[in-house]
């Protein structure tokens, strides 16, 4: 996907706007959009002669927003960050399209395992922790404060510490 198409998807997810001319007001008044836009801008410079500029943009964005999106994570288009403060996305995390991540969510590697994969349309509510080589399925929901160390099937809802499945798309 082209840079502008990804930005357009992020803009729509965070503001409901479709046209790129709405990006400046969104950047100024929607902290989630500003955070993901600056992350994607930094990513555009990584691996080019402007690599150091990408690193500077990333560092400034992390300090500005309080949201750590690792430059080696893979984040699909349409990421919605309603409250980006204290979100931590680790190095190898892969996030699908149209994912919603609330404040204080952590996704990363456990001691020996690889990183999680978060499926398209998943929602991670405030304070959720997702660790290890697990998969959060398409349209799955991770409840506030849940600590997830095992796969969550598509359409399921996981809550608690340790997380347990409390419903699926058919029952929730």
């Amino acid at each position: 996907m082209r840079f502008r198409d990804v930005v357009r998807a992020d803009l729509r997810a965070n503001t409901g706007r479709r046209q790129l001319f709405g990006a400046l007001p969104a950047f100024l008044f929607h902290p989630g959009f500003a955070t993901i836009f600056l992350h994607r801008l930094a990513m555009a410079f990584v691996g080019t002669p402007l690599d150091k500029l990408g690193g500077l943009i990333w560092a400034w964005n992390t300090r500005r927003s309080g949201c750590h999106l690792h430059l080696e994570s893979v984040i699909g288009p349409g990421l919605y960050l309603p409250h980006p403060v204290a979100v931590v996305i680790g190095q190898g995390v892969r996030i699908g399209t149209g994912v919603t991540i609330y404040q204080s969510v952590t996704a990363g590697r456990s001691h020996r395992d690889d990183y999680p994969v978060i499926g398209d349309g998943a929602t991670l509510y405030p304070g959720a922790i997702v660790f290890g080589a697990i998969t959060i399925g398409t349209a799955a929901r991770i409840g506030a404060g849940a600590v997830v160390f095992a796969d969550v099937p598509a359409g399921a809802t996981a809550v608690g510490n340790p997380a347990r499945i409390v419903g699926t798309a058919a029952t929730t």
Side-chain angles (χ1 to χ4, degrees):
M1 233 177 165
R2 295 182 312 190
F3 180 79
R4 74 179 192 165
D5 295 333
V6 173
V7 169
R8 184 175 282 137
D10 293 336
L11 180 66
R12 185 171 184 188
N14 284 276
T15 68
R17 295 183 174 126
R18 295 178 183 211
Q19 301 301 321
L20 285 178
F21 63 81
L24 180 60
F27 184 82
L28 295 173
F29 300 112
H30 292 273
F33 175 74
T35 299
I36 191 65
F37 175 80
L38 288 170
H39 175 76
R40 295 203 193 278
L41 185 62
M43 289 289 301
F45 292 124
V46 170
T48 72
L50 297 174
D51 193 59
K52 292 197 185 307
L53 177 60
L56 286 171
I57 292 169
W58 176 84
W60 177 71
N61 185 37
T62 300
R63 284 170 183 77
R64 180 196 64 78
S65 66
C67 178
H68 177 93
L69 305 173
H70 198 283
L71 284 172
E72 293 181 35
S73 61
V74 177
I75 301 173
L79 177 64
Y80 178 39
L81 295 170
H83 311 287
V85 176
V87 171
V88 178
I89 304 298
Q91 177 179 4
V93 175
R94 291 180 299 171
I95 299 174
T97 300
V99 171
T100 300
I101 299 177
Y102 286 88
Q103 68 272 16
S104 301
V105 168
T106 300
R109 183 174 84 168
S110 64
H111 297 288
R112 292 174 299 278
D113 289 337
D114 205 0
Y115 293 88
V117 174
I118 300 170
D120 296 346
T123 301
L124 284 69
Y125 287 97
I129 299 172
V130 179
F131 273 130
I134 63 172
T135 299
I136 306 300
T138 299
R141 292 179 301 264
I142 308 301
V147 179
V148 183
F149 289 103
D151 291 349
V152 177
T157 300
V159 299
N161 179 6
R164 65 192 184 289
I165 306 299
V166 296
T168 60
T171 62
T172 56

